[in-house]
Amino acid sequence: MLRNLTKTLTAVSTIAVLMAPLVVPSAAYASSTTVQRKCVNGVCGSVKYYGGKVRISLSSKLSRTTHFNFKTNPGDQIEVGNGYSFDREPGDSGTYSAQACERGGIGARSTCTKWATFDWNSGAQEEESEQ
């Protein structure tokens, strides 16, 4: 009888340990942030911040987008595929601008949308919106 009681108590204590909540430091959650997708002038941008990097994803509501003209403000204009990333500290913020473009034929210039400007940050969250 005592032997069965000992086995039962051991099993109950093992189950209790397995059911204890796992405590994860809050710093693990604070190291990543997402700025939800936002669209302006047919250009859409969203931002994820983690691992010390701001990662900007670009997309377009246009059917024939071949590339994006991109610049951080202030910054030089560059041509990118569908995203851009750069190193930043937590708590930083700024803006970036992008144009969705369709590459021109031989000797022709690209056709691009108007510039769309978005916010990026490593702290606050925004909701998806259309302007």
Side-chain angles (χ1 to χ4, degrees), residues 43-106:
V43 179
C44 301
S46 65
V47 177
K48 288 191 179 187
Y49 175 79
Y50 57 92
K53 281 200 177 289
V54 173
R55 290 177 169 85
I56 297 170
S57 297
L58 298 169
S59 61
S60 170
K61 292 189 172 190
L62 308 176
S63 60
R64 297 179 147 207
T65 300
T66 57
H67 66 282
F68 294 89
N69 289 334
F70 177 87
K71 62 182 176 178
T72 56
N73 301 317
D76 295 329
Q77 178 181 319
I78 59 172
E79 188 176 295
V80 298
N82 63 355
Y84 185 76
S85 65
F86 52 95
D87 295 332
R88 276 300 199 224
E89 295 296 320
D92 287 349
S93 64
T95 60
Y96 65 95
S97 298
Q99 291 178 299
C101 300
E102 178 184 355
R103 204 169 304 287
I106 296 174

Side-chain angles (χ1 to χ4, degrees), residues 118-131:
F118 305 96
D119 295 323
W120 65 264
N121 64 62
S122 53
Q125 292 191 356
E126 297 178 3
E127 295 182 21
E128 181 172 341
S129 65
E130 176 72 32
Q131 293 182 346

